[in-house]
Amino acid sequence: MSETAPFPAAFARRLPKAELHVHLEGSVGPATLLALAEKHGVVPPAYDEAGIVDWLRTDSFPGFLERYFFICRLLRDPDDFRRVAYDYLASAHDQGAVHVEFHVSSSYHIVEQVADWASILSGIVAGCDEAENALGVSSLLIPDLSPHLGAEAAHRALDSVLTNIDNRTVAIGMGGPADTWRIDDYGPCYDRARASGLRAVSHAGEHGPAWEVRHAIEVFGAERIQHGIGAMQDPEVVKMLVDEGIACDVCPGSNVALGAVSSMAEHPLAAMLDAGITVTLGSDDPPLMATNLLAEYEHAWNLASLDEDGLRQLAHNSLVESFAPVELVEAWLSDD
Ligand code: ADE
Ligand code: ZN
């Protein structure tokens, strides 16, 4: 990494921007985690916020998933989901986000927790509506399927998602451990979702190699890739991303925190931009990665030696690549 000018934080905050890669469950901070544990009579992993902050930090993907699923299990009634959706949207709004697309681990809740998706959705939508009315921040939902639960479970989760499509549910995604993709075929899940009018995205090439990104594009029909950094190992996959205009929603802080890259200096963000890949920035699971959306803009500033136009371009990408209605995108672009 070369020396760059100080990050213009106030400028970055003012840029209208969207966050397209953040997990609702992974946005829960220490205070809310403690409050939810108390509300539901669950023994928390620590008894004060400092202890929870410590517990949330892990440098391995399995360690991260253990914490992430612990948080998932604390989200039980619609009001829990309302609260975390509103709280995150308020935080994103403070950082200059005009639009957020929440990934929600639908198959974990529906299959593992045997929870009712309609009631979860009602809570999330209440939080989104509240934030839109109070703050003017727009939001959409991307129910994620979890490949480690198997295709049969993914189809069961999808049954609930597809029978409850509302005007905030815009796409399906795939998240969690990805090493079962070649055992089970998730392509038909995406076909079903598309037939019901949903768009398609997928995590790929986070810890895994370039073939995951190719698979997500060719088999899932993904229109955006979450992470996608592994694509840089295969020039043909890079070319697919560029030629097909498929954006990668990249989270450098998360990639370093979970060891997908060995250090920030090793992160391929600058190479992705140089190759012509359309990049948007996301915080993934901010309290678990000790990051937030503006910190990701700062990482990009340092990694790619950006100037203000470079930051503006990343914010612009996030608006253009969002699934928000075109009239909204045009209104945001006229302010950027
Ligand atoms: N679910 C939440 N965060 C994730 C990540 N970084 N990778 C895959 N699945 C996730
Ligand atoms: Zn993610």
Side-chain angles (χ1 to χ4, degrees), residues 21-106:
H21 186 175
V22 59
H23 298 262
L24 180 71
E25 300 88 336
S27 74
V28 174
T32 305
L33 191 155
L34 283 169
L36 289 171
E38 186 173 356
K39 172 177 171 183
H40 296 301
V42 173
V43 177
Y47 286 92
D48 58 21
E49 285 189 38
I52 300 289
V53 167
D54 261 5
W55 175 80
L56 286 169
R57 306 285 156 75
T58 172
D59 59 5
S60 78
F61 193 52
F64 158 74
L65 289 172
E66 192 186 306
R67 288 155 176 76
Y68 181 83
F69 292 136
F70 180 90
I71 297 168
C72 287
R73 291 192 293 277
L74 290 178
L75 294 166
R76 298 191 179 178
D77 59 45
D79 197 59
D80 300 339
F81 286 92
R82 180 203 60 74
R83 170 182 181 164
V84 298
Y86 183 86
D87 285 355
Y88 188 71
L89 290 167
S91 159
H93 171 73
D94 277 349
Q95 298 173 72
V98 293
H99 177 75
V100 172
E101 296 187 3
F102 278 125
H103 289 256
V104 187
S105 292
S106 64

